[in-house]
């Protein structure tokens, strides 16, 4: 029973950190991509595309921040 | 009375250990941000110390694991805890002097186990707890950080790879401010708790608080948080250099991936009560971020030195602690032994720092 609990905790650490680490990184990369493309489009005079890329950047930033806050709340709540 | 004197020495020594832990581990937290120029060294260290302090209040699960998980309660006396701490501090200072990023956490647990064995024999050690809560996570966690950082950087390069490098670097430098902050917070969460666990263990051994429920008093939480934050603020520049540039030369995206992977692994481990080594985890993240870009970019020789220091940490700290326990007991079971060891340790520290200052001073110019 103790071994099962230990394995379950280890598995939880494994998948939650892998998912969170890769997920936040991917979403933040999308935000960087959106911000740079938005700036490029604005300079090229393509207002509509600039707004769409800016929205991608904002969504990426918001999602990254939300994932971090959610993670911290989970750690604090379970301890 | 004698028990109370030893307790005061143990609490002082534990807080000194916590200080050296912060001092030693500053590098883990700030090296990537500094080496990729995301932030200046002074502000990185100042922010990290504040977040270390805050992180110490997030969770207490690791403290309970350190207090209950590795050494059986009948073996614990205040002298055993004292000897374990001195063994850990000694090993921390030796690896700091040599510039090796070994694990303060494993030094602490190795020290406790070594002094408990010296006091009560091998029956004092909870082998299953040591294996399932320390050794297996110690192997798995850096590998997870390595994989997470590797996958993250591959994804990041795929997403932003065709864009101009200047704005991409600026974007990830901003991201590093957040990932570095999260890493500092997670470091405080996991590492400060180890000292809380040890002080609580000493309080229980002295009969100052009941053993049932393993409750960490508030003053212990606040003092451990303050000591680690102060240690982080003081910093360990020799190790920062090793972590920041000697393993790989990083770009900001790699720094972000390494810090993000390290922080998530440490936070996930804290939530299940594993006392991880932040040094192991962030080194794994840095190597993963480097190897995913180009395998040969990682200076595997330096990585090998770090692994050697890791492997040596548990037994070396254990042996130091066992010797300290033996010396303390030469003076009987009272407070004289710990007092003599403390005075000798202070004298040794003064000598070490004097030598370090002498080495750092510029040579006089020729006339």
């Amino acid at each position: 029973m103790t071994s099962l609990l230990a394995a379950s905790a280890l598995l939880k650490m494994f998948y939650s950190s892998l998912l969170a680490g890769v997920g936040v990184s991917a979403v933040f990369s999308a935000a960087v991509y959106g911000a740079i493309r938005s700036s490029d489009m604005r300079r090229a005079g393509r207002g509509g595309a600039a707004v769409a890329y800016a929205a991608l950047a904002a969504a990426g930033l918001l999602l990254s921040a939300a994932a971090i806050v959610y993670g911290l709340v989970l750690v604090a709540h379970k301890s | 009375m004698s028990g109370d004197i030893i307790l005061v020495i143990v609490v002082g020594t534990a807080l000194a250990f916590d200080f050296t832990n912060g001092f030693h581990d500053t590098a883990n937290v700030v090296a990537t941000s500094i080496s990729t120029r995301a932030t200046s060294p002074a502000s990185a260290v100042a922010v990290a110390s504040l977040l270390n302090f805050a992180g110490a209040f997030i969770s207490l699960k690791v403290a309970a694991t350190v207090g209950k998980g590795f050494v059986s309660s009948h073996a614990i006396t205040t002298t055993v805890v004292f000897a374990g701490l001195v063994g850990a501090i000694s090993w921390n200072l030796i690896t700091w002097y040599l510039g090796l990023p070994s694990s303060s956490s494993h030094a602490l647990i190795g020290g406790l186990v070594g002094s408990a064995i010296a006091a009560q024999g091998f029956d004092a050690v909870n082998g299953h707890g040591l294996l399932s809560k320390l050794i297996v996570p110690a192997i798995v966690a850096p590998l997870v950080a390595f994989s997470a950082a590797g996958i993250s950087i591959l994804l990041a390069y795929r997403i932003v790879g065709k864009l101009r490098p200047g704005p991409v670097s600026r974007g990830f430098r901003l991201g590093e401010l957040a990932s570095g902050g999260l890493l500092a917070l997670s470091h405080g969460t996991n590492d400060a708790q180890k000292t809380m666990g040890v002080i609580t263990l000493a309080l229980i051994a002295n009969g100052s608080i009941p053993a049932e429920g393993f409750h960490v008093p508030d003053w212990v939480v606040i003092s451990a948080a303050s000591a680690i934050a102060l240690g982080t603020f003081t910093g360990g520049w020799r190790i920062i250099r090793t972590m920041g540039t000697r393993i790989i030369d990083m770009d900001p995206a790699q720094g972000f991936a390494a810090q993000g992977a390290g922080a998530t692994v440490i936070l996930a481990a804290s939530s299940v009560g594993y006392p991880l080594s932040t040094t192991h985890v962030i080194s794994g993240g840095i190597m993963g971020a480097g190897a995913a870009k180009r395998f040969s970019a990682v200076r595997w020789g330096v990585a090998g030195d770090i692994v050697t220091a890791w492997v040596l940490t548990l037994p070396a700290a254990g042996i130091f602690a066992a010797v300290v326990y033996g010396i303390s007991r030469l003076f009987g079971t009272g407070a004289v032994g710990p007092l003599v060891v403390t005075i000798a340790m202070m004298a040794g520290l003064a000598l070490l720092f004097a030598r370090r200052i002498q080495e750092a001073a510029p040579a006089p110019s020729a006339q």
Side-chain angles (χ1 to χ4, degrees):
Chain A
M1 186 63 187
T2 320
S3 301
L4 274 178
L5 281 177
S8 137
L10 194 69
L11 196 66
K12 192 176 151 198
M13 182 193 82
F14 179 84
Y15 74 75
S16 57
S17 50
L18 200 61
L19 275 178
V22 174
V24 170
S25 192
V27 170
F28 186 79
S29 300
V32 171
Y33 179 83
I36 295 171
R37 293 291 289 158
S38 169
S39 161
D40 289 347
M41 291 297 137
R42 208 169 38 247
R43 245 183 263 121
R46 294 172 59 188
V51 170
Y53 279 119
L56 173 68
L61 274 181
L62 277 176
L63 267 176
S64 305
I68 291 169
V69 171
Y70 180 67
L72 286 176
V73 169
L74 271 186
V75 173
H77 181 68
K78 287 184 178 175
S79 302
Chain B
M1 181 62 187
S2 164
D4 289 343
I5 293 172
I6 302 177
L7 183 66
V8 170
I9 296 173
V10 167
V11 171
T13 313
L15 294 177
F17 170 80
D18 207 16
F19 177 87
T20 64
N21 190 346
F23 183 89
H24 200 270
D25 287 8
T26 307
N28 305 336
V29 177
V30 301
T32 40
S33 299
I34 294 171
S35 71
T36 58
R37 294 190 298 279
T39 180
S40 71
S43 61
V45 170
V47 170
S49 73
L50 278 176
L51 289 168
N52 258 208
F53 182 82
F57 293 86
I58 291 179
S59 159
L60 289 173
K61 269 200 167 178
V62 175
T65 303
V66 171
K68 298 188 295 189
F70 303 125
V71 181
S72 72
S73 54
H74 73 268
I76 292 295
T77 63
T78 44
T79 308
V80 165
V81 179
F82 169 77
L85 281 164
V86 174
I89 291 174
S90 308
W91 182 246
N92 259 2
L93 288 171
I94 288 169
T95 52
W96 164 75
Y97 189 82
L98 297 173
L100 288 174
S102 72
S103 164
S104 306
S105 315
H106 292 178
L108 178 64
I109 293 158
L112 270 182
V113 169
S115 60
I117 290 172
Q120 299 276 340
F122 283 91
D123 288 346
V125 180
N126 176 359
H128 179 264
L130 208 56
L131 188 69
S132 66
K133 291 177 181 167
L134 182 78
I135 293 172
V136 173
I139 295 167
V140 171
L143 294 176
V144 178
F146 182 95
S147 312
I151 297 168
S152 294
I153 196 66
L154 288 177
L155 268 175
Y157 284 154
R158 194 159 188 86
I159 294 169
V160 300
K162 287 179 182 162
L163 300 175
R164 285 169 290 128
V168 169
S169 291
R170 279 197 293 280
F172 279 107
R173 278 195 190 108
L174 281 177
E176 273 191 276
L177 297 180
S179 61
L182 196 64
L183 188 63
L185 199 75
S186 65
H187 177 251
T189 303
N190 202 285
D191 275 22
Q193 286 190 67
K194 291 155 194 160
T195 305
M196 295 177 204
V198 167
I199 295 177
T200 308
L201 205 58
L203 289 169
I204 292 170
N206 195 50
S208 307
I209 58 170
E212 293 80 35
F214 198 84
H215 170 70
V216 182
D218 289 342
W219 69 265
V220 174
V221 177
I222 293 166
S223 52
S226 306
I228 200 166
L230 200 63
T232 303
F233 188 71
T234 312
W237 297 102
R238 287 168 70 82
I239 304 175
I240 286 175
R241 192 173 149 263
T242 303
M243 297 291 286
T245 56
R246 281 179 63 203
I247 298 176
I248 58 165
D249 289 318
M250 278 177 291
D251 63 39
Q254 285 174 303
F256 175 79
Q259 286 180 330
T264 50
V265 170
I266 297 165
L267 281 173
S270 302
S271 76
V272 291
Y274 289 150
L276 280 190
S277 161
T278 46
T279 314
H280 290 200
V281 174
I282 191 64
S283 298
I286 290 173
M287 288 179 204
K293 185 179 180 183
R294 188 164 52 87
F295 193 76
S296 60
V298 178
R299 295 183 185 118
W300 294 102
V302 177
D305 289 347
I306 294 169
V307 171
T308 307
W310 291 350
V311 172
L312 286 176
T313 295
L314 271 175
I319 290 166
F320 278 125
V323 170
V324 170
Y325 182 82
I327 293 170
S328 298
R329 286 302 302 267
L330 285 178
F331 298 90
T333 54
V336 179
L339 270 173
V340 168
V341 172
T342 305
I343 292 165
M345 191 171 67
M346 304 281 267
L349 271 177
L351 275 175
L352 192 71
F353 277 106
R355 200 172 154 189
R356 168 65 52 228
I357 290 164
Q358 252 181 358
E359 281 176 10
S365 56
Q367 294 296 310

